[in-house]
Amino acid sequence: MPQLTTSGDAADKIAALRRKSHLVAEVYTAPRPSRADRAPRANRPGKLRIVVAIPSAQRPGILSDTVRAIARQDRLPDRVVLSLGASEDLGDLNPSTLPFPLEIVLGRGGATARRNQIIRILRRDEIMVLLSDDFLMAPDYLRRTLDVFERYPDIAMTTGTVLADGMHGPGFSHEKGQALLARRLQSPAADRLQPVFSGHGCNSAMRASVILDRGLRFDDSFPLYGGLEDLDFSRRIAAHGRLVKDNAARGVHLGTKTGRPPGMLLGYSQVIAPLHLLKKGTMTRRQAVAMIARNTLSNLFRAIHPPAWADFRGRLRGNLRAARDLLQGRASPQRMLDLRP
């Protein structure tokens, strides 16, 4: 993969990145902090490295604040990788002001494609902490996560504890999310691990050696909006190690609504994605039917008096469109391209 030069001012590098944004994949590596800045938290030889990976598109204001918040970690990441749809997604983020190395990958495709672009540049000795661009970590999140992987070599994936989730409402601003995080961190963490079926979509961590050795990738059958790709990936990596929930790795999911797919696309995916995973064998028939029924009934009832923050009527139309395609024998993830507004 081609590398952009790291000489010169950071602003010039970002400008160069933007001029090359038409490329399928391009990486910009920000200069590393000085040794004095990073020595107290540096990775020790022979130990695992930790990389924070954030795919994002069309949410520059959210992304830039989330990346700056990573500087509050008491164990800084060895690098942060942003997988963006366009250079403009970077917003006002200035890599030279960050206390950790930053890499920016540009590429075409939807959410799953952006995640796979990150996997292509992973190293075997890394733990990839995969975050939504609106997830705020507790200050000890990375340290606790890294400790779990170092102590338990048989663990392939962990997922953290979401203290508050704005997805179930209009969402939180960064300011409100930080306030919620600070308030709920006053309660002591439950320092225990428990088995889980799947990693949480907004925050999970996985061992890069397992991913690379087994050639695992996120399912990119969905060209626009993924839909259950986290569950699918979790079940496939579960064949090669334990999946656990780390109750001590905590955070807040803002649930930002900007930049999300139209309601009809989401509704279509709510029906097609479970059936796609059923066919692959990563979801049981009972799970698929229950999920489709739950989502469709929820959209039906909430479409009567929909809130301003979610397009439940569009979701219901997507559900019905998927049902029609199924009856006509032409339902597939790629059909989402025909539903684009």
Side-chain angles (χ1 to χ4, degrees):
M1 181 176 295
Q3 299 283 329
L4 294 185
T5 176
T6 57
S7 62
D9 184 77
D12 294 335
K13 297 171 195 173
I14 296 301
L17 181 70
R18 286 180 170 144
R19 287 194 297 271
K20 293 177 176 287
S21 62
H22 65 283
L23 297 178
V24 173
E26 191 76 52
V27 175
Y28 161 79
T29 304
R32 291 177 175 271
S34 67
R35 183 174 298 275
D37 290 338
R38 71 177 194 268
R41 306 175 188 179
N43 185 48
R44 299 187 301 276
K47 296 294 184 178
L48 293 173
R49 294 162 45 88
I50 194 158
V51 52
V52 174
I54 305 178
S56 182
Q58 301 177 12
R59 308 208 298 185
I62 296 297
L63 174 67
S64 55
D65 285 343
T66 298
V67 173
R68 283 189 282 262
I70 298 173
R72 298 172 182 155
Q73 292 293 301
D74 59 20
R75 198 292 187 190
L76 290 176
D78 292 286
R79 60 176 177 147
V80 172
V81 179
L82 307 181
S83 184
L84 309 179
S87 57
E88 291 75 15
D89 295 332
L90 193 63
D92 64 353
L93 190 63
N94 184 352
S96 66
T97 65
L98 301 173
F100 43 75
L102 182 72
E103 295 183 25
I104 303 161
V105 184
L106 294 179
R108 302 188 184 98
T112 54
R114 284 191 287 277
R115 293 182 178 199
N116 289 334
Q117 287 161 7
I118 296 171
I119 289 177
R120 292 188 186 100
I121 61 173
L122 284 180
R123 304 163 187 166
R124 291 191 75 262
D125 63 344
E126 290 181 323
I127 301 301
M128 177 176 68
V129 177
L130 185 61
L131 302 180
S132 293
D133 58 11
D134 58 350
F135 185 80
L136 301 179
M137 298 181 288
D140 59 353
Y141 187 104
L142 295 183
R143 173 171 54 82
R144 288 181 177 274
T145 297
L146 188 60
D147 180 64
V148 167
F149 280 95
E150 289 183 335
R151 283 191 291 141
Y152 302 102
D154 62 326
I155 288 179
M157 173 186 278
T158 66
T159 191
T161 299
V162 181
L163 300 176
D165 196 345
M167 283 298 295
H168 305 305
F172 311 132
S173 65
H174 260 277
E175 293 74 15
K176 184 174 181 179
Q178 290 288 1
L180 278 169
L181 182 61
R183 185 162 64 248
R184 301 195 179 187
L185 286 177
Q186 293 176 4
S187 300
D191 193 8
R192 68 177 186 273
L193 305 176
Q194 62 187 77
V196 289
F197 184 78
S198 170
H200 198 289
C202 66
N203 77 111
S204 58
M206 50 209 77
R207 199 178 294 272
S209 59
V210 174
I211 297 173
L212 298 176
D213 291 349
R214 305 296 177 176
L216 299 176
R217 295 292 186 272
F218 285 89
D219 188 341
D220 59 1
S221 299
F222 290 84
L224 300 175
Y225 178 69
L228 300 183
E229 70 272 15
D230 301 292
L231 187 152
D232 174 64
F233 191 88
S234 297
R235 297 319 305 159
R236 286 187 287 122
I237 200 174
H240 311 293
R242 283 199 294 153
L243 270 62
V244 299
K245 178 182 179 182
D246 185 354
N247 290 277
R250 300 178 289 175
V252 167
H253 185 208
L254 302 181
T256 306
K257 300 300 184 287
T258 59
R260 295 197 177 275
M264 190 169 184
L265 289 181
L266 177 55
Y268 194 86
S269 178
Q270 286 176 335
V271 175
I272 300 301
L275 296 177
H276 180 67
L277 267 59
L278 172 62
K279 185 177 180 180
K280 291 182 62 176
T282 51
M283 180 175 276
T284 66
R285 183 181 299 275
R286 182 176 180 179
Q287 290 171 326
V289 171
M291 181 172 288
I292 293 171
R294 183 172 61 250
N295 287 332
T296 303
L297 288 174
S298 174
N299 294 337
L300 178 63
F301 287 118
R302 303 193 77 172
I304 299 173
H305 298 290
W309 49 268
D311 182 15
F312 285 102
R313 291 176 179 172
R315 294 181 189 182
L316 183 59
R317 288 196 299 271
N319 296 155
L320 297 175
R321 177 64 180 270
R324 189 181 75 180
D325 283 356
L326 283 169
L327 292 174
Q328 295 176 344
R330 57 178 185 173
S332 73
Q334 288 75 25
R335 287 280 292 169
M336 293 179 71
L337 290 170
D338 299 331
L339 305 180
R340 296 188 72 173

